[in-house]
Amino acid sequence: MKFKKLLIIGIVLVIILFFILIGINFLVVCSTSSRIVKSEELKEEENIDAILILGAGIWGNKPSHMLEDRLLEGINLYNKNISNNIIMSGDHGKVDYDEVNLMKKFAIEKGVLSEDVFMDHAGFSTYESLYRAKEIFGAKKIVIVTQKYHLYRALYVARSLGIEAYGVASNPRGYAGQIVRDLREVLARDKDFFTSIIKPKPTYLGEKISLDGSGDITNDK
């Protein structure tokens, strides 16, 4: 009898937890969806400090499909003069794994000026990328570029940190494993909901870098 009661209590707690997680996910999505816009809608916006392109996986010396699409959309915004600055934020935590230099190289090959590209070598997570965009680069108003499923969380974190942010989705094609990615994102939104309340410092901070200067100051090669 005691075991049966414990089992019922356990089931009830699991159901409550499930609805809490789904509720937080719903809150994050609904509260940020209006900030996801088309590039044309940004033409009237002024004083955008930077276009923030969030890193993703790389395949050797090439960007993954998801990262390539983020880069192309970010470069498109740059060419439309939405902002003269691009922040490439990604994982460069190891000598043999370097998202950001590859991202900058890709942009330069597409005609972006080297001095207009700032690299954030310690963008190890969405939260850390946004925290560092504000605290290191002094960005107060930005356009975030990533896939739409990821934008909701990024925009929620940005708002919690006091950053005025818009999101432009880079979804010109489908991606393998997206169903798993979408499910995992639900948990990631829940995690960053609480992270946005606690506001821990990122893995690394460092000296401030002005977006009014040259992005080449962030070069390490």
Side-chain angles (χ1 to χ4, degrees):
M1 196 71 176
K2 186 177 179 181
F3 174 77
K4 186 176 180 181
K5 286 183 178 180
L6 290 174
L7 179 62
I8 292 172
I9 291 171
I11 292 172
V12 170
L13 289 175
V14 168
I15 292 172
I16 291 172
L17 178 61
F18 172 79
F19 280 105
I20 289 173
L21 295 178
I22 295 301
I24 290 173
N25 181 71
F26 183 78
L27 171 65
V28 170
V29 171
C30 290
S31 65
T32 56
S33 58
S34 64
R35 307 296 289 184
I36 300 176
V37 299
K38 302 291 186 182
S39 59
E40 294 76 19
E41 298 176 64
L42 293 169
K43 291 180 179 179
E44 303 301 319
E45 292 295 327
E46 297 180 350
N47 303 317
I48 294 177
D49 296 315
I51 298 159
L52 174 64
I53 303 178
L54 298 175
I58 58 176
W59 299 333
N61 61 351
K62 293 182 179 180
S64 64
H65 290 158
M66 294 185 77
L67 181 55
E68 180 182 18
D69 292 339
R70 295 180 192 185
L71 290 166
L72 290 172
E73 184 57 50
I75 293 167
N76 176 51
L77 294 172
Y78 170 86
N79 289 333
K80 289 183 176 180
N81 297 313
I82 301 303
S83 177
N84 292 326
N85 300 315
I86 300 177
I87 299 175
M88 303 292 193
S89 185
D91 187 346
H92 187 190
K94 299 178 181 178
V95 175
D96 59 350
Y97 187 83
D98 181 358
E99 291 179 357
V100 289
N101 274 290
L102 187 151
M103 293 164 74
K104 179 164 185 172
K105 181 175 181 289
F106 183 97
I108 291 172
E109 289 174 351
K110 298 294 182 181
V112 177
L113 297 177
S114 177
E115 57 263 33
D116 291 342
V117 181
F118 295 78
M119 289 185 289
D120 173 12
H121 299 268
F124 301 131
S125 69
T126 303
Y127 175 81
E128 291 186 278
S129 291
L130 286 155
Y131 194 113
R132 288 174 54 81
K134 181 182 180 183
E135 297 301 325
I136 299 296
F137 296 99
K140 297 177 181 178
K141 186 174 182 179
I142 62 174
V143 178
I144 304 170
V145 180
T146 183
Q147 278 69 34
K148 189 174 183 178
Y149 82 96
H150 185 204
L151 271 177
Y152 301 107
R153 176 161 57 102
L155 288 165
Y156 189 88
V157 171
R159 186 175 64 186
S160 76
L161 294 172
I163 303 170
E164 182 180 357
Y166 294 93
V168 175
S170 55
N171 293 85
R173 52 181 156 177
Y175 307 99
Q178 189 58 43
I179 293 176
V180 173
R181 207 174 285 114
D182 287 337
L183 293 173
R184 191 171 56 199
E185 183 66 14
V186 172
L187 296 178
R189 289 174 191 150
D190 290 315
K191 175 182 72 69
D192 276 351
F193 171 83
F194 292 105
T195 301
S196 296
I197 295 172
I198 300 168
K199 293 183 176 61
K201 290 185 178 180
T203 307
Y204 299 108
L205 274 174
E207 297 182 5
K208 293 184 181 296
I209 298 170
S210 175
L211 292 170
D212 293 328
S214 170
D216 288 337
I217 195 173
T218 62
N219 291 353
D220 65 338
K221 293 184 178 180

